[in-house]
Amino acid sequence: MERYFGESTPKLGFGLMRLPKEESGRIDLEQVKKMVDLFMEAGLTYFDTAYVYDDGDSERAAKAALVDRYPRECFTLATKLNASKEGYDEEASKQQFYTSLQRTGAGYFDYYLLHALQENNYQIYDRYGIWDFVKEQKEKGLIRHWGFSFHAGPKLLDRLLTEHPDVEFVQLQLNYADWENPNVTSRANYEVARKHGKSIVVMEPVKGGILASPPENVQEIFRNADAKASMASWAIRYAASLDGILTVLSGMSNIEQMEDNLSYMKKFRPLDGEEQRTVQKAQEAMNAVKSIPCTACHYCTSGCPKQIPIPEIFAARNEQLVRGQLERGAADYKQATAHAGAASDCIACGRCERTCPQQISVISHLAECADVFDR
């Protein structure tokens, strides 16, 4: 039986992972409040955060900007438990749930997820009994729906959904650039989830911002089809047009991004046949581009012993690879590493690669960046 409980859920969700920051590096709470107000005024209700986002500040921002300012029944809130967080044993992992309740003040979670399951960590969730722990919280009324976010291939996804048939939804990375990407396997994972009748929350529809500003030849394809539509609108509408989608998360970082997303998602219209063909052309053009497929999630940086700003370094290199901006890339690299580790400081410890959801060969790409920028 298909578990598609999200028929009436608005197709755009507010991802609280990339919130606007002040110069001090703290979350710009006043801007977040304005963004939340715009989102709610548009009739949208789904908010997504996680225990590990911004060292807990994302959940605290959810409390200050959303929970403390709106009636609880007016919105839905999702957060996540990361049992593979370095240094966390079973007790500390389960404590994340109670800490998230305290940080958000939400009383309960509408959606709760086991966070970032992949080949090198899913056994931890079994060993710590996290699956049963989460179901116990649902029985207590502290969770309404539960699932997991996933960063691996279709074989493992099929196994997990077979072993845990009561999972209600999965969160997958789906976007037109990764649809056939062998490292992300968007299409294959989507098909497995649908085979099991699961609702899907989409993450990274704009691939960490890459598809909001794709290579010029890709932009030209979209502009020729619709000169007024933003690049991000094509990516988000593509994901939202798939069957079985609960909502599509967009990690909006400023009011301008919020206003753009609301302009086409407040009254969502699926892509028509001609628009689907346009996206297919863009897919083919993107597949021909050499780039480092980093989404700037920053999972890799928290454990880096050399404090290397890996996503920023990869973004600088992509300025050169994707857009041919050699001087701009060099300047961005210099700025990113001015008060942090350089690419050549990498000691190849492998911590970054063990946590990378994109399965990127971080060490080899840092060596490439070191050759270009440092040597």
Side-chain angles (χ1 to χ4, degrees), residues 9 77 195 309:
T9 301
L77 182 62
K195 180 186 75 171

Side-chain angles (χ1 to χ4, degrees), residues 36 89 97 137 185 189 203 208 266 286 318 349 374:
V36 166
D89 58 12
F97 174 78
Q137 307 316 309
T185 60
N189 286 342
M203 58 182 163
K266 181 178 179 179
M286 282 293 297
N318 280 339
C349 67
D374 294 335

Side-chain angles (χ1 to χ4, degrees), residues 3 11 23 37 49 53 65 80 100 207 213 216 221 237 263 268 281-282 290 305-306 308 314 367 372:
R3 294 175 183 270
K11 292 296 184 183
E23 288 187 9
D37 291 344
T49 182
Y53 290 171
K80 312 175 189 74
S100 292
K207 200 172 171 63
S213 182
E216 182 58 34
I221 292 170
R237 287 182 61 222
S263 70
F268 168 66
K281 292 178 184 178
K290 177 186 177 184
K306 294 296 183 179
I308 301 171
F314 287 170
V372 171

Side-chain angles (χ1 to χ4, degrees), residues 146-374:
W146 72 283
F148 60 87
S149 61
F150 186 75
H151 293 284
K155 185 176 180 180
L156 178 59
L157 181 59
D158 188 54
R159 175 181 171 180
L160 292 175
L161 291 178
T162 299
E163 293 177 352
H164 303 282
D166 46 352
V167 164
E168 296 174 87
F169 69 100
V170 292
Q171 187 162 306
L172 301 175
Q173 179 169 323
L174 303 179
N175 59 66
Y176 70 78
D178 287 327
W179 196 241
E180 301 294 348
N181 182 334
N183 291 326
V184 181
T185 60
S186 283
R187 177 186 59 78
N189 286 342
Y190 170 78
E191 291 174 352
V192 167
R194 297 306 294 143
K195 180 186 75 171
H196 284 269
K198 304 305 180 185
S199 299
I200 299 169
V201 174
V202 176
M203 58 182 163
E204 300 293 358
V206 193
K207 200 172 171 63
I210 293 173
L211 303 185
S213 182
E216 182 58 34
N217 62 325
V218 176
Q219 294 193 38
E220 186 175 353
I221 292 170
F222 287 131
R223 284 197 296 266
N224 287 340
D226 186 342
K228 296 181 179 179
S230 68
M231 297 299 116
S233 72
W234 287 96
I236 291 176
R237 287 182 61 222
Y238 172 81
S241 297
L242 296 167
D243 291 334
I245 300 303
L246 176 62
T247 198
V248 177
L249 301 177
S250 179
M252 293 167 274
S253 300
N254 53 54
I255 291 174
E256 291 72 26
Q257 291 176 7
M258 175 66 75
E259 290 175 337
D260 177 57
N261 282 349
L262 295 181
S263 70
Y264 54 85
M265 291 301 290
K266 181 178 179 179
K267 296 181 179 179
F268 168 66
R269 178 180 62 80
L271 295 177
D272 60 28
E274 186 60 35
E275 289 171 324
Q276 291 282 6
R277 287 187 284 275
T278 296
V279 173
Q280 186 175 2
K281 292 178 184 178
Q283 285 175 320
E284 294 169 356
M286 282 293 297
N287 289 339
V289 175
K290 177 186 177 184
S291 65
I292 304 173
C294 175
T295 64
C297 68
H298 284 89
Y299 290 176
C300 59
T301 56
S302 61
C304 178
K306 294 296 183 179
Q307 297 184 320
I308 301 171
I310 298 169
E312 288 73 19
I313 290 175
F314 287 170
R317 181 61 176 145
N318 280 339
E319 280 291 327
Q320 300 178 328
L321 293 172
V322 177
R323 299 182 177 84
Q325 300 293 322
L326 301 183
E327 293 184 1
R328 170 66 181 273
D332 288 351
Y333 175 80
K334 184 177 181 180
Q335 180 178 5
T337 58
H339 303 288
S344 56
D345 290 332
C346 176
I347 59 174
C349 67
R351 291 184 181 181
C352 51
E353 295 189 356
R354 289 193 291 272
T355 61
C356 178
Q358 307 301 317
Q359 316 299 318
I360 297 172
S361 299
V362 178
I363 295 169
S364 63
H365 280 301
L366 281 176
E368 172 196 333
C369 292
D371 287 337
V372 171
F373 294 125
D374 294 335

Side-chain angles (χ1 to χ4, degrees), residues 134-146:
V134 169
K135 285 187 280 188
E136 289 169 6
Q137 307 316 309
K138 181 177 180 179
E139 290 173 0
K140 295 175 182 177
L142 298 176
I143 294 172
R144 297 290 173 85
H145 304 287
W146 72 283

